[in-house]
Each structure stands twice: as structure tokens, then as C-alpha cells.
Amino acid sequence: MKNSEIADVLDGIADVLEFEGDNVFKINAYRKVARRIREIPEDIEQLYQSGQLSKIPGIGKNIAEHIEEYLKTGSISKYRELLSRVPSTFVEMMKIPNLGPKTLKLLYEHFKIQTIEDLKNVLEKPEAINLPGMGEKKIQNIKNGIQLYLTKRTHQRISLGIALPVVDEIVKYMKQVCKDISPCGSLRRMKETIGDIDILCTADNKDKVVKRFISYPGVQSIIAEGETKSSIIVKDHMLQIDLRVVEPESYGAALQYFTGSKEHNIKLRTIAKEKGLKISEYGVFKGEDRIAGKSEEEIYKIFGMPLIPPELREDRGEIEAAIAGKLPHIIKYDDVKGDFHIHTNYSDGISTIEEIVKKAIEMGYQFIGLCDHSQTSKFAGGLNVERLRERNKEIDRIARKYPQIKIFKAAEVDILGNGEMDYPDEILAELDFVIGSIHQGFKKNVTERMIKAMENRYVDIIGHPTGRLISSREGYEVDIDKVIEYAAKTGTALEINAYYDRLDLNDVNAMKAKEKNVMIAIGTDAHNIKMMEYMTLGVAVARRAWLEKSRLLNCYDWKKMPVKRNK
Ligand code: DGT
Ligand code: CA
Ligand code: CA
Ligand code: ZN
């Protein structure tokens, strides 16, 4: 539903009109309709299509036309025109509690503020207090509002899987005016959630870079624009993107610094001090001399280390390992030969077996595991034994057509309330492998049920072992250390579920599994072929867990697949 989007724009128009001191009745008309559109249960797009927009109380011809334009084109030309007459960060500043259009207008007229940073600075000036209608109390209220707004912004973290494509697009767009360009920060470290997005570049013409950046078509608002650092918020998930332009001789140093993590950098700085050196985002310095800075390799080399992969830079022992020459050879993104967890349209997936197979071939895979749900998972179209066998026949048929890839006949079988599996053993034995998953009874003896499942010789992998959803659910009541212990004991593999909202096991637990020599299987849990691309996120978790490819079932030749039943 586009109701709230459209209501936001109508409110935005009202804000600008108020800023400009327009007619009060007109302003109120926009606000009233915006409120109604937020409240009605109907989808505004459907109302429009059935010619019922006039059903919304207070709607006139003018506003109806705006809505039509928005539904057809995704924006309203009148609003764009209005926005060109107000500060560049107007929309964002209107989200600051305790700051209305009139007050902003007052401050804008006197101080020409454009950004939230300008606003913060101006509020510190005594001239601001003495403006008509301002005063100390009001200034303090606005300051509190800014504080609230900024905390809210920084506490909203977004999934890596959502941020990555947004960043890819903007990097592609910026390449035209940049020499080197790379994301840094948590995104480059492939952390599961991202606060804000940091991008770094070099360029011959810095001015051009900033201009192009702030005129990115996806911009929602501009937070700051400057010679060395600019920030925008893009419409896509309201992500904040910071762009820094640096000198080529500092590019490596800046990349290193802004990739972080902060903890990793602090450790590195301590080591620099011990060697009588200084490290900053400009380079490594011996006295006044810059002795490294152009590339990251060069920086780490000065300290006697090979380049540490960004995913490891969390101060979890990577610096010590690097110095000792004991960095693991972590799995590479292209080491993956197949995906273990794909749902077809036989259960709740939407892609056909053939579509999945084609996609897998396109991705360069040597095998895939088709895992439909088992009979108890009725909500997810779970297959009874008969349907399962039908599906397996269909797989055989498709397999003859595509001999270049191995299609595993597998299933994601529910671990029931008593720890038994949702198919009898003789059915499990017909399959190439089995993922055992908990889909109900999240608080009911989860650890015991998982252990019982792992003791079944046909359960090769435990799916999403903690059950958490990053955005919304804490997960099962499960003793993950005990599960890892039994996985080791029984030779059962644990899954890294690569769906962006799961990433389960997460990096920390996957590292624990590594320490106990447990095998790991990355599965995308794809329900359509596009989702098979989330494999990257699963590999990222494995890399952050220091996993080498020998521990990942995904990196094996399918004929020698060391799944439990083959041992
Ligand atoms: P995020 O945005 O919360 O997901 O996490 P990061 O790691 O991207 O953090 P951010 O955006 O605040 O800063 C980017 C990088 O800049 C960070 O990873 C390391 C570096 N950095 C920021 N503040 C400091 C600091 O106070 N000291 C040091 N050494 N580095 C810092
Ligand atoms: Ca960041
Ligand atoms: Ca940042
Ligand atoms: Zn599942």
C-alpha cells in the first residue's frame, strides 16, 4: 500500500507551504487529506483505479491530481518544485521533533542554514536566542529534538542483505567521477546489520564528486555537503550514506581506518605506538614522514602482517594471528559449489525445479539440494510421502535433462515436539540428505529435541539452529553450546542459513562450531530463484567465523560429499 508514502508527500507539501507563509486553509486541506489517507483501511491505489478517490473526505480536484501523478510516476512535480525553494535538507529537518516549518523559516532567513549540522551550530549562537519568538527554552527544545532524531537514526540498523544492493547501485553511479571507490565501515566487513553506509573515493575533481553524489536520483535528503565529506539519505530504506573524498596517497590508510572496526583500529594503533609510529586515516608516519598510506597492503606490511580480510577485523584475535603468520585461509566467495537449502513449488517455494536448476547452472554450481517442507508443516505446503515421491520422480526427469549438475533429492524435515522426525526412517533413507529443522514449539525442550534428531543417522544437517530472525524474533530457547557439542559427537553438520533476516548460525556461533570441528552447510533457504543469490551473505558469515573451506560442505565435490550418511 502506498497510503503512508502519499500521506508523507502531502504533509511535505503542507510543510513547504507553511514555510513559505501560504494560505492557512490551503495548508490545512493538505494536512487533513494526509491524515485521512493514513487512517483509511483501503488501498489508495485501488481506490484510484476504481475511480473512488473522491470518497476520501476533503479531497479536491487539485489533491486528487497530485495523487494520480504520484501513483503513475512515483513523485509529484509540484512538490519537487516547492522543494527547490527551501533548504536542501528540508524534508529531513521536518522530522526533528519540536521544529516546525515556521521556526525553520525564521532560522533560515537569518542564518541561511542548509543542513542539520548548520542548524546545530546556529542554535549555539546568542543571536538565535534573541530572534522574535525564540528564547532559551525553545532553543533547548529544538536541541533535544535534534538529539532524539539523531539517536533514532543511529539506532535503526538495517540488514546487510538489504543494504548491499543499494550500495552497489550508488557505487556504480559514482564510478563515473571517481578514480578509486569502495564501501568501507561495517558493510565492507559484511556485518549482519549496518548502521550507516560509508563510501570512500579518490577523484581528480572533488567538486564534481560532491555534486554528482547529492544529485543521486535516489536521494531523499541531503544531510551535509562538503569538500571532504558529504552525507545523504536515500529513499531506499532511508539509509544514510557518507561519502568521503581523499587524496590518492592516503587512500589505503583511509580505507583501512574507515573500514574499522573501531576495536581493530585501536589495537593497530597500540602496535604502531610500540614501534614508535603513528597511524591515522592519512597514513602511517615516522615523525613527519609518511611511510605508508597508498594501499591497505602497504599499511599492514609495515606492521609485519599480511592484508587482513575486512570480515575478520573485529579484534577477535586476527591481529595476533596475522603477526604470528597464522591467519586462516578463509573460504572465498567463489569457493562455493552448491546450495543445500532450496524450496521448490512443490511446497511453499514459487520456482519450479527446472527454473531452480537453470539458475544454479548459471551461478556455476555443481550441485543443489532441493529441500521441501515435510508433512506437518501444513502452513508451508509440507509434502506427504506420496507427494514427496512424486517430486523425487520429477527431479529424476529434470536431472536427465541437465546432466551437468547434481540435484540432491532432499527435504527440510520438521523435528516434532517429541524430537522425532516428521517422516519415518525408511522415507528419510530414500533421500540424498535431510535437514532437520524446528518450526514449532520454540520454547519446548528445543535442545533435547535437536539432540534426539542428531542421533538419527539420516539427519545430516540441522537447519537454522537458533531460530532467530534478525528483525523480529529472538529465537528458540536452545543451549547452542550443547547442540554444537552433539553435532561434533554425531557428525551432524550445522547450517548457516543465508537468508538475510536469519543468518543462523551467526558468526559467533559458527566460530564456536569451528572450534569443535563441526561441519557447516550454507543454505539460502531460497523460496524463489532470486533468493539463491543470498549465498554471498552465508559465505560472509562463514568468513567472519574464520571458516576454511575444508569445514564447509558447500566446497566439496558432490561425489565425495562428507554428509553424515556417507560416512
Ligand atoms: P555501523 O555504521 O554502526 O554499522 O558501524 P561502522 O563500523 O561502519 O562504524 P561507523 O560508521 O561509525 O564508522 C566507520 C569506521 O570509522 C569504523 O568502523 C572505524 C572508524 N571509526 C569511527 N570512529 C572511530 C574512532 O573513534 N576511533 C577509531 N579508531 N576508528 C573510528
Ligand atoms: Ca558505518
Ligand atoms: Ca559512518
Ligand atoms: Zn526452515
Side-chain angles (χ1 to χ4, degrees), residues 25-284:
F25 295 105
K26 194 162 143 196
I27 296 167
N28 284 343
Y30 276 100
R31 295 222 190 274
K32 254 188 215 150
V33 175
R35 188 163 0 108
R36 286 274 189 265
I37 292 175
R38 270 185 229 284
E39 286 164 1
I40 52 169
E42 295 98 336
D43 182 343
I44 185 145
E45 198 151 15
Q46 275 168 17
L47 284 182
Y48 165 69
Q49 273 156 7
S50 57
Q52 292 182 295
L53 270 189
S54 55
K55 249 181 81 178
I56 302 169
I59 205 163
K61 184 163 162 277
N62 219 341
I63 298 184
E65 275 169 14
H66 289 336
I67 294 172
E68 178 176 10
E69 186 185 352
Y70 190 91
L71 288 171
K72 283 189 175 156
T73 68
S75 73
I76 298 175
S77 49
K78 156 124 188 212
Y79 186 42
R80 286 202 306 272
E81 185 216 312
L82 285 171
L83 282 179
S84 68
R85 307 207 293 252
V86 296
S88 53
T89 62
F90 183 81
V91 175
E92 213 44 42
M93 289 202 274
M94 280 300 101
K95 293 192 191 128
I96 298 171
N98 312 331
L99 177 71
K102 284 206 194 97
T103 311
L104 182 58
K105 168 76 171 217
L106 188 70
L107 294 168
Y108 178 65
E109 272 181 342
H110 282 83
F111 304 105
K112 290 283 160 261
I113 52 169
Q114 289 288 349
T115 66
I116 293 174
E117 245 166 71
D118 294 345
L119 175 66
K120 269 165 86 179
N121 294 335
V122 153
L123 294 176
E124 298 302 330
K125 296 190 178 175
E127 298 98 293
I129 302 181
N130 298 326
L131 288 175
M134 286 302 272
E136 210 141 332
K137 186 145 179 249
K138 187 150 183 192
I139 298 264
Q140 192 51 48
N141 280 340
I142 300 173
K143 281 189 189 168
N144 294 346
I146 295 176
Q147 201 54 46
L148 264 170
Y149 163 86
L150 291 175
T151 342
K152 200 170 153 220
R153 278 223 65 83
T154 46
H155 283 266
Q156 269 172 354
R157 300 187 66 83
I158 191 134
S159 296
L160 177 65
I162 288 177
L164 273 176
V166 179
V167 177
D168 278 352
E169 203 178 303
I170 195 156
V171 166
K172 226 185 277 157
Y173 165 86
M174 289 305 297
K175 267 199 176 127
Q176 235 187 61
V177 290
C178 299
K179 276 169 133 178
D180 295 298
I181 180 162
S182 169
C184 38
S186 50
L187 186 107
R188 184 161 178 247
R189 303 198 311 280
M190 299 291 270
K191 220 177 138 175
E192 64 191 29
T193 63
I194 309 294
D196 67 355
I197 291 164
D198 309 277
I199 301 178
L200 197 69
C201 73
T202 61
D204 289 328
N205 186 337
K206 290 188 176 180
D207 217 36
K208 249 186 176 168
V209 172
V210 177
K211 286 228 173 74
R212 187 166 171 84
F213 184 58
I214 60 174
S215 42
Y216 181 58
V219 160
Q220 158 79 33
S221 50
I222 301 159
I223 303 268
E225 48 176 298
E227 166 94 339
T228 52
K229 185 187 164 191
S230 308
S231 297
I232 58 172
I233 290 177
V234 294
K235 286 183 208 145
D236 234 338
H237 301 277
M238 297 296 282
L239 284 174
Q240 178 174 331
I241 306 185
D242 296 344
L243 176 75
R244 291 185 178 78
V245 196
V246 300
E247 299 300 332
E249 61 266 28
S250 297
Y251 182 67
L255 194 56
Q256 196 289 316
Y257 180 87
F258 291 111
T259 294
S261 66
K262 197 169 158 184
E263 292 72 21
H264 175 90
N265 288 354
I266 289 171
K267 178 70 66 69
L268 206 58
R269 208 173 325 149
T270 316
I271 291 175
K273 259 191 208 144
E274 286 166 8
K275 294 194 181 241
L277 303 172
K278 226 187 105 223
I279 181 170
S280 71
E281 67 256 54
Y282 301 107
V284 181

Side-chain angles (χ1 to χ4, degrees), residues 291-307:
I291 56 171
K294 227 174 151 48
S295 72
E296 275 192 321
E297 281 89 350
E298 181 176 291
I299 308 250
Y300 283 102
K301 203 170 156 204
I302 292 270
F303 301 111
M305 298 177 222
L307 182 78

Side-chain angles (χ1 to χ4, degrees), residues 341 343 373 412 437 439 464 497 502 525:
H341 191 163
H343 295 265
H373 288 285
E412 183 182 23
S437 290
H439 286 128
H464 39 73
N497 189 296
R502 286 193 183 271
D525 208 346

Side-chain angles (χ1 to χ4, degrees), residues 236-376:
D236 234 338
H237 301 277
M238 297 296 282
L239 284 174
Q240 178 174 331
I241 306 185
D242 296 344
L243 176 75
R244 291 185 178 78
V245 196
V246 300
E247 299 300 332
E249 61 266 28
S250 297
Y251 182 67
L255 194 56
Q256 196 289 316
Y257 180 87
F258 291 111
T259 294
S261 66
K262 197 169 158 184
E263 292 72 21
H264 175 90
N265 288 354
I266 289 171
K267 178 70 66 69
L268 206 58
R269 208 173 325 149
T270 316
I271 291 175
K273 259 191 208 144
E274 286 166 8
K275 294 194 181 241
L277 303 172
K278 226 187 105 223
I279 181 170
S280 71
E281 67 256 54
Y282 301 107
V284 181
F285 294 85
K286 191 174 204 164
E288 296 290 301
D289 294 336
R290 190 202 318 255
I291 56 171
K294 227 174 151 48
S295 72
E296 275 192 321
E297 281 89 350
E298 181 176 291
I299 308 250
Y300 283 102
K301 203 170 156 204
I302 292 270
F303 301 111
M305 298 177 222
L307 182 78
I308 300 178
E311 293 91 332
L312 301 189
R313 300 184 197 170
E314 299 290 349
D315 191 24
R316 292 179 184 153
E318 72 282 4
I319 289 183
E320 293 81 350
I323 291 173
K326 286 185 177 151
L327 269 186
H329 298 280
I330 55 174
I331 175 182
K332 296 195 290 296
Y333 288 95
D334 58 8
D335 281 337
V336 169
K337 297 182 178 181
D339 183 342
F340 285 96
H341 191 163
I342 304 169
H343 295 265
T344 78
N345 64 348
Y346 271 78
S347 61
D348 61 347
I350 63 164
S351 302
T352 63
I353 295 172
E354 186 158 10
E355 283 165 349
I356 293 165
V357 168
K358 280 186 176 160
K359 173 75 176 179
I361 292 170
E362 190 189 304
M363 289 175 76
Y365 284 168
Q366 297 175 16
F367 67 84
I368 44 166
L370 299 184
C371 288
D372 285 297
H373 288 285
S374 59
Q375 47 200 354
T376 297

